[in-house]
Amino acid sequence: MSVVSVLTPVLVLVLCLVMGFLALRGRRSPTAPAKPWVDEDLRDDSEEAQLREEDEEWVEVNQEKEVAHVPYSPQRHSSEQMLQRSLNFYELMNGRRSVRFISPEPVPLAVIQNVIRAAGTAPSGAHTEPWTFVVVSDPDVKHRIRLIVEEEEEVNYRQRMGDKWVSDLAPLRTNWIKEYLDVTPYLILVFKQTYGILADNKKRTHYYNEISVSIACGLLLAALQNAGLVTVTSTPLNCGPKLRLLLERPLNEKLLMLLPVGYAAEDATVPDLKRKPLQDIMVHI
């Protein structure tokens, strides 16, 4: 009994400490988990980005303002025609490859304009069309873009990506050297507008801006393939702020994708990759 009587105050003290710790922990506001480094390109540490924006006004779309509706009668095809057209389009897109060997041969600017028009037909949240396509053909600007990208990519490969990621890329023979950024006739840098800026400098919400711009990028890839041009999708990690400043884009624009665009070089090669069969990517219920 004497042992129990001695231990009881100690047990009570320990219990009180534990309960106090749990109570304090419960009061703490939950902190958001740290973003992985692959999202660092969305950060912008430029001087302009540090300006306070609390006083800026936001406006929303006037829900009472009706949009006129017009008749819509898309062309219909017979079952046989639909089957053939869908097969033709699949075969066209199945020939698409990520190409890093691009010819310096000039491409008509009108073609680039048309493929971007096609990308601009993508659906977007509340029809905000939150995309900007920056087309670069100036050799000096292309080279400056290459220097920025290669500087960050070397750090990515050597430090940030980790051994497993680098080893997974090894069979594809990729590295931080991006010669095609100088060689290709065009670079298309796709920026997502995180919000809109109206004529009176008020802000407008851009709903689902990243999803909307991603859909536009998919259409852009299809349009390039349809035109007989090649590209390789590039997400230049950690380069966004520097490239935004280089291209003099506003603060509301964040770099989402960088595409070198041109004809395939005569000696171009691509990895002999196989795509998943239909039964592995489609579930019919």
Side-chain angles (χ1 to χ4, degrees), residues 35-249:
K35 291 184 178 181
W37 76 269
V38 292
D39 289 334
E40 289 296 302
D41 61 317
L42 300 183
R43 294 178 56 188
D44 199 322
D45 297 325
S46 64
E47 181 179 352
E48 181 182 4
Q50 297 173 10
L51 298 177
R52 295 178 60 86
E53 298 180 347
E54 288 82 353
D55 296 333
E56 297 183 11
E57 293 186 61
W58 287 74
V59 297
E60 303 301 333
V61 179
N62 186 354
Q63 299 297 330
E64 297 179 357
K65 183 179 179 180
E66 293 188 4
V67 177
H69 283 57
V70 296
Y72 178 62
S73 300
Q75 183 180 2
R76 295 190 61 172
H77 306 283
S78 67
S79 297
E80 293 78 10
Q81 289 174 325
M82 285 193 296
L83 181 60
Q84 188 60 52
R85 289 169 65 92
S86 62
L87 179 59
N88 290 344
F89 187 74
Y90 160 70
E91 291 176 343
L92 171 68
M93 297 310 300
N94 193 40
R96 186 204 59 77
R97 292 293 186 274
S98 295
V99 179
R100 293 172 173 82
F101 303 97
I102 302 177
S103 169
E105 182 181 353
V107 174
L109 178 60
V111 175
I112 303 302
Q113 293 172 334
N114 285 337
V115 297
I116 290 178
R117 283 193 181 102
T121 67
S124 59
H127 193 60
T128 51
E129 302 176 289
W131 40 66
T132 301
F133 301 89
V134 178
V135 178
V136 178
S137 59
D138 180 273
D140 178 63
V141 178
K142 286 191 298 181
H143 185 66
R144 293 168 69 184
I145 290 173
R146 177 184 175 181
L147 293 179
I148 292 173
V149 171
E150 288 186 340
E151 179 183 13
E152 288 295 339
E153 279 287 84
E154 183 174 5
V155 179
N156 293 339
Y157 273 82
R158 292 187 181 278
Q159 299 179 20
R160 300 182 180 126
M161 292 166 60
D163 294 339
K164 185 178 186 306
W165 191 343
V166 173
S167 64
D168 286 344
L169 289 174
L172 304 180
R173 303 178 189 174
T174 66
N175 54 44
W176 61 83
I177 305 301
K178 314 292 183 184
E179 293 180 0
Y180 53 78
L181 296 180
D182 271 327
V183 175
T184 184
Y186 295 103
L187 297 177
I188 300 178
L189 293 95
V190 185
F191 287 82
K192 68 172 187 176
Q193 301 170 6
T194 55
Y195 55 86
I197 301 177
L198 305 181
D200 55 3
N201 288 325
K202 291 183 179 180
K203 294 181 179 180
R204 178 186 179 187
T205 302
H206 278 177
Y207 306 97
Y208 298 106
N209 55 78
E210 183 158 340
I211 295 175
S212 300
V213 180
S214 297
I215 296 173
C217 287
L219 290 181
L220 178 59
L221 293 176
L224 290 169
Q225 179 70 11
N226 182 63
L229 300 174
V230 299
T231 188
V232 53
T233 55
S234 171
T235 51
L237 305 174
N238 291 1
C239 298
K242 291 181 181 179
L243 294 178
R244 182 186 65 77
L245 291 174
L246 173 64
L247 300 173
E248 299 181 349
R249 302 311 307 159

